[in-house]
Amino acid sequence: LLSRGLGDVYKRQEFNVFRGQYVHSISNNGRVSIPAKFRELLNVKYSSSTIIVSMFENCLLAYPIIEWEKLESKMLDLPSFKKETVDFERYLIGNASECQLDSEGRINVSPVLRKNLNFKKSVVFVGILTRFEIWDEKLWEKNRESGFKKFQKSRDQIDEI
């Protein structure tokens, strides 16, 4: 994004979002380092080293605590006894856990989540604006191939937004 400054000189404004892909190894006990750019964003934009992770499709979905609270607030407005709402909340909220980054910028992924998501040796962090996903590297490669085809089909719909 560009903004006009003194003397009509344009300068780049920071658009602070999670973006990009980063491959990191995961230890046998579930420790994984959050990408440096993501840690910086958590610190600068959110002033927090706390994230919420939950299972979503075939990956971990990770939100800064502030963004997660916005999501929960929206969910409070959903009809609480509607089957679809209950199923969605049970899965997303029921699988959620709070993670505090340690002094080295790592989180610990629980054994249950590692087993359910088949996390082995390395994971891929995928930045998606206000959140990021954590995928098993091999599963990400498979998803990326099919994802490109879905992207091609959805471009026109997205363009209308």
Side-chain angles (χ1 to χ4, degrees):
L1 294 176
L2 298 175
S3 68
R4 194 173 279 223
L6 295 174
D8 291 330
V9 175
Y10 287 90
K11 66 178 185 176
R12 188 172 184 343
Q13 288 182 341
E14 290 299 317
F15 192 60
N16 295 325
V17 296
F18 297 104
R19 67 168 69 95
Q21 296 176 32
Y22 304 87
V23 178
H24 285 233
S25 60
I26 186 166
S27 70
N28 289 336
N29 65 354
R31 289 257 178 225
V32 63
S33 180
I34 301 295
K37 288 189 178 194
F38 291 6
R39 290 193 313 260
E40 181 182 353
L41 184 59
L42 285 167
N43 185 39
V44 172
K45 182 176 181 179
Y46 296 105
S47 301
S48 177
S49 60
T50 303
I51 61 173
I52 302 291
V53 296
S54 184
M55 289 194 328
F56 186 76
E57 295 177 345
N58 294 315
C59 68
L60 272 184
L61 189 60
Y63 279 88
I65 188 83
I66 294 168
E67 299 294 348
W68 181 264
E69 289 170 348
K70 289 177 190 177
L71 178 65
E72 285 181 330
S73 179
K74 290 177 184 177
M75 292 174 76
L76 286 171
D77 292 335
L78 297 174
S80 58
F81 291 104
K82 189 174 180 182
K83 182 176 179 9
E84 292 82 5
T85 301
V86 172
D87 290 344
F88 183 79
E89 290 175 336
R90 184 177 292 136
Y91 186 83
L92 192 65
I93 304 298
N95 285 305
S97 61
E98 189 172 305
C99 295
Q100 184 71 35
L101 276 67
D102 68 13
S103 61
E104 295 180 34
R106 301 173 303 180
I107 60 167
N108 188 47
V109 179
S110 74
V112 171
L113 292 175
R114 289 196 318 269
K115 181 181 176 190
N116 288 340
L117 295 168
N118 201 29
F119 284 4
K120 297 289 182 198
K121 295 180 180 181
S122 58
V123 294
V124 179
F125 288 81
V126 181
I128 308 174
L129 304 175
T130 60
R131 65 189 187 278
F132 56 92
E133 295 176 341
I134 307 171
W135 289 78
D136 173 74
E137 186 177 23
K138 289 182 181 178
L139 188 56
W140 171 250
E141 290 301 321
K142 289 180 188 175
N143 183 71
R144 194 169 54 103
E145 292 169 13
S146 64
F148 182 70
K149 292 175 184 169
K150 292 175 187 173
F151 165 76
Q152 288 177 313
K153 289 181 182 179
S154 65
R155 293 190 299 202
D156 294 335
Q157 293 171 339
I158 301 294
D159 192 40
E160 294 173 9
I161 295 176

